[in-house]
Amino acid sequence: MEHANVTVKWAPGPRPKPKLLERAREIIRLKHYSIRTERAYLNWMRRYILFHHKRHPQEMGPAEIEAFLTHLAMAGHVAHSTQNQAFNALLFLYREVLGISVG
């Protein structure tokens, strides 16, 4: 059985756009946030997206942020400081990652 000489050329092209949470991780690291803050922020971002049935944050805004934070306070019975951390994570997501002001 003979095999033909096949040359595969790899041509660098545009890199695929990183997924949202990967992009958030990159930005968090560029800003030198602690690893604990990185993990917490990414967790809150993930929970926010899942809470809204995997809608992209660009499709949402202040009303959805408020609904999520209210859910945390009412159903999750989280402490005020925990709710603040979730809020700051979402502000970071919108301002730093998506470049959107949420007011």
Side-chain angles (χ1 to χ4, degrees), residues 17-34 37-46 49 56-57 88-99:
K17 193 173 183 180
K19 292 184 179 182
L20 182 65
L21 294 180
E22 291 171 7
R23 204 162 74 240
R25 175 178 278 117
E26 289 174 4
I27 294 169
I28 288 168
R29 289 184 179 179
L30 283 172
K31 294 186 171 288
H32 304 288
Y33 283 39
S34 77
T37 301
E38 175 185 318
R39 288 180 186 144
Y41 275 25
L42 293 173
N43 181 51
W44 287 121
M45 292 173 195
R46 188 176 297 108
I49 292 165
H56 196 284
N88 286 323
L90 298 179
L91 278 181
F92 184 91
L93 172 65
Y94 278 95
R95 289 179 181 166
E96 303 295 330
V97 180
L98 297 173

Side-chain angles (χ1 to χ4, degrees), residues 47 51 67-78:
R47 287 178 64 177
F51 177 79
F68 177 67
L69 296 174
T70 300
H71 169 76
L72 290 179
M74 304 300 279
H77 305 288
V78 300

Side-chain angles (χ1 to χ4, degrees), residues 54-70:
K54 297 184 180 180
R55 286 176 56 203
H56 196 284
Q58 282 183 318
E59 301 171 5
M60 300 186 280
E64 288 83 4
I65 293 171
E66 187 175 339
F68 177 67
L69 296 174
T70 300

